[in-house]
Amino acid sequence: MTPPGAHGGQTADDAQLAALGYTGEFDRSMGLWANMALGFTYLSPLVGVYSLFAYSLSIGGPPAIWWIVIVGVGQLLVSLVFGEVVSQYPLAGGIYPWTRRLWNRRYAWIVSWVYIWAIIVTVTAVAEFGGGFVAALFGVAATPGVVLLTAVGLLVLAFVINYSGTRTLARIAKIGLAAELIGVIALGLFLLTFRREQPFSIFFDTLGAGGDGGYVGTFLAAALSGLFLFYGFEACGDVAEEVADPTRRIPKAMILTILVGGVSGFLSYAGYVLAAPDAQLQAIIAGEDVDPIPTILESSLGTAGSKVFLLVTVVAFISCVLSLQAAGSRLLYAFARDRMLPASGWLSHVSERHAVPTNALLVVCVVPVLICLFVFWRPDSLARVTAFAVLGIYIAFQAVVLAALRQRLMGWRPAGLWNLGSAGLVVNVLALAYGIFAIVLLIKPAPGTETFLDRWIVAIGLAVVAGSGLLYLVLARPDRQSAHIPEGDAREVAQQLQQIRRDARAQVSEEIR
């Protein structure tokens, strides 16, 4: 740890890191496309569309596809705000250092507490769901024991890859990106071109979804088809200290993640709808066919083709778990580096050989394994354990957006090499408005739920996680351990970075003369 501005560095990236109070411990071996691949495989449109296709259709019918466009635009606004923040603060851990430097350490602590648990339960859910695909690929019945073994296998495999270093992470992320694009865009285009059973007008036909009442409420209830798809782009910033020229590349990677992910998800969803026969579409909307994609693939691709797609899907799941682990471990590392957690010295250890936070990685692997064991013991608990995860991630996102807006109103002008200029304030306000709208939709009870617990399980999960975090913060005061580390310094750092650049330009001019 070094005080802000204590020393320069051998590169411009190191100089900015030093100005923010840190020395580099990572290998800056990740470029733009590898960084984008990391965010894309975390977002994983293949996993998102497959997981929610039948559910969203059963609620809102074919018009539910338009939520992919609506949410994509909203999250693009959020990514633009994130781009300005990460360009000024290219620090490992993303959400934690951003909220700390935009507000204060207590605010950052509770936001990051919610976010890390959201990541942990998300990686658990992805591993559990991926276990079924692994079983299908090898023609094994997806019994609880098989799903447990395959889920744990995915978690351990991702840990081994992550442990081997940033270069390996980047390579596998690129492979995962290729698998996603084949499995989503190529397949979607194939279904649209050669296996179309429905007219394009189907996306404006509710097919009776929602009954005889007004469709507005039904359409709002189907928002999950988009809300569950568009997150993960923040992972591009979680590994900021492992990216060369992060102030320019990470904002671009975030935007590309949203744009490519949105187009991929839309094409995939549209392909499945248009390839489904009338009888199958009606069965999906009636809730009678809860897993229709295998049938659509089997009829469209044949047995061999569907097996190839299963292989691509498994690769996508591995990449998704890999990216989630990488993002979660960097958040834990950043948290511990500032001495905000018990055993901070152990959690912030970075391997000299591989230049990765090995102990933080281990935690993000072991805790999901323990949750998998609990789910094996109580198979009906997975939905309830993971219900709050997406809401927790959206709240963490909006905590950054809110903190950025607060700083803007206090006079902050983002000083990163990538910024929105005069449009920044308008984008920030719109991003916050969208985020509040999305959070309300996520908290709303799901249609058809009857018991109080099931109706409000998302809000209850958030209350448990946030409440436990607040209680620990009040009783243990972990924030006191890092009182010497800067907080709420966005305006001061902006001025400092601008001065560094002025000095650099003056030095270049002097050398030319």
Side-chain angles (χ1 to χ4, degrees):
M1 184 70 61
T2 58
H7 58 78
Q10 295 180 345
T11 67
D13 297 339
D14 294 333
Q16 183 164 353
L17 188 61
L20 296 174
Y22 300 99
T23 54
E25 296 185 88
F26 294 98
D27 177 16
R28 290 192 182 276
S29 58
M30 190 173 285
L32 172 63
W33 291 107
N35 189 238
M36 179 263 183
L38 181 71
F40 186 89
T41 52
Y42 182 157
L43 182 145
S44 190
L46 188 152
V47 174
V49 169
Y50 199 109
S51 303
L52 289 166
F53 177 73
Y55 179 78
S56 62
L57 269 183
S58 67
I59 294 175
I65 193 175
W66 300 113
W67 276 110
I68 296 177
V69 178
I70 295 169
V71 176
V73 172
Q75 290 293 72
L76 180 62
L77 294 172
V78 175
S79 73
L80 293 175
V81 176
F82 280 20
E84 288 196 303
V85 176
V86 73
S87 191
Q88 178 166 317
Y89 291 109
L91 297 170
I95 297 289
Y96 163 69
W98 300 343
T99 48
R100 181 183 182 111
R101 308 304 279 265
L102 291 171
W103 205 305
N104 61 38
R105 60 187 184 274
R106 296 182 187 88
Y107 183 77
W109 199 94
I110 191 61
V111 170
S112 302
W113 174 262
V114 170
Y115 184 57
I116 189 61
W117 279 108
I119 289 181
I120 284 173
V121 297
T122 300
V123 73
T124 305
V126 172
E128 284 276 339
F129 194 64
F133 284 95
V134 175
L137 177 63
F138 291 101
V140 179
T143 62
V146 169
V147 171
L148 172 64
L149 289 174
T150 51
V152 171
L154 287 175
L155 291 166
V156 172
L157 176 61
F159 171 79
V160 171
I161 295 170
N162 266 309
Y163 179 80
S164 62
T166 303
R167 292 181 187 276
T168 305
L169 169 63
R171 292 191 190 101
I172 301 300
K174 288 179 181 178
I175 293 172
L177 171 62
E180 287 269 1
L181 293 178
I182 293 170
V184 178
I185 293 182
L187 179 62
L189 289 174
F190 174 79
L191 294 176
L192 285 170
T193 306
F194 300 107
R195 292 292 185 268
R196 186 158 64 90
E197 298 279 343
Q198 303 294 337
F200 289 104
S201 60
I202 194 75
F203 297 114
F204 300 93
D205 188 346
T206 66
L207 299 181
D212 299 327
Y215 184 69
V216 173
T218 299
F219 185 67
L220 290 174
L224 293 180
S225 54
L227 293 172
F228 274 49
L229 181 63
F230 285 100
Y231 60 91
F233 57 90
E234 81 284 0
C236 300
D238 287 330
V239 295
E241 293 176 36
E242 298 160 74
V243 178
D245 192 15
T247 58
R248 291 186 179 91
R249 286 177 170 171
I250 293 176
K252 295 176 184 177
M254 288 181 174
I255 294 168
L256 283 170
T257 296
I258 293 290
L259 295 177
V260 178
V263 171
S264 302
F266 190 89
L267 284 175
S268 178
Y269 196 107
Y272 290 134
V273 172
L274 294 173
D278 289 337
Q280 187 173 25
L281 268 183
Q282 292 294 344
I284 296 169
I285 292 171
E288 298 167 0
D289 188 349
V290 296
D291 190 18
I293 291 181
T295 305
I296 295 173
L297 293 175
E298 184 79 27
S299 61
S300 301
L301 304 177
T303 303
S306 62
K307 282 288 186 182
V308 171
F309 179 77
L310 278 174
L311 178 60
V312 170
T313 304
V314 169
V315 172
F317 269 94
I318 292 171
S319 298
C320 186
V321 173
L322 182 74
S323 300
L324 282 160
Q325 275 191 2
S329 65
R330 272 55 170 188
L331 174 59
L332 267 183
Y333 162 81
F335 225 180
R337 178 170 64 176
D338 285 1
R339 305 171 191 170
M340 295 278 273
L341 288 172
S344 286
W346 183 78
L347 283 169
S348 61
H349 171 72
V350 175
S351 166
E352 292 184 7
R353 179 180 177 185
H354 301 290
V356 294
T358 52
N359 296 333
L361 269 172
L362 186 63
V363 170
V364 181
C365 177
V366 171
V367 176
V369 168
L370 295 176
I371 298 175
C372 286
L373 290 171
F374 177 78
V375 170
F376 175 72
W377 176 53
R378 298 290 299 272
D380 59 340
S381 63
L382 180 61
R384 290 177 176 173
V385 167
T386 61
F388 99 100
V390 177
L391 175 62
I393 290 172
Y394 270 76
I395 286 176
F397 281 17
Q398 290 308 307
V400 177
V401 174
L402 176 62
L405 180 59
R406 173 178 174 268
Q407 282 289 346
R408 287 182 195 278
L409 297 177
M410 294 169 65
W412 175 52
R413 296 295 178 266
L417 295 175
W418 190 96
N419 64 74
L420 299 172
S422 59
L425 178 60
V426 175
V427 171
N428 206 152
V429 171
L430 291 175
L432 184 62
Y434 158 75
I436 293 171
F437 173 66
I439 288 168
V440 170
L441 290 177
L442 286 166
I443 291 177
K444 282 182 61 178
T449 51
E450 298 179 358
T451 67
F452 177 85
L453 179 61
D454 288 333
R455 283 179 61 80
W456 297 104
I457 187 61
V458 174
I460 292 170
L462 177 66
V464 169
V465 173
S468 62
L470 283 170
L471 184 64
Y472 183 80
L473 180 61
V474 170
L475 296 179
R477 292 303 303 271
D479 57 294
R480 288 180 176 174
Q481 302 300 316
S482 67
H484 60 291
I485 297 170
E487 60 180 343
D489 62 352
R491 286 163 291 162
E492 294 82 356
V493 168
Q495 294 170 2
Q496 185 179 5
L497 292 176
Q498 288 164 354
Q499 185 60 50
I500 289 173
R501 294 190 192 113
R502 283 194 293 268
D503 293 344
R505 286 194 294 268
Q507 183 178 354
V508 171
S509 298
E510 183 66 28
E511 290 174 354
I512 291 174
R513 287 199 294 268

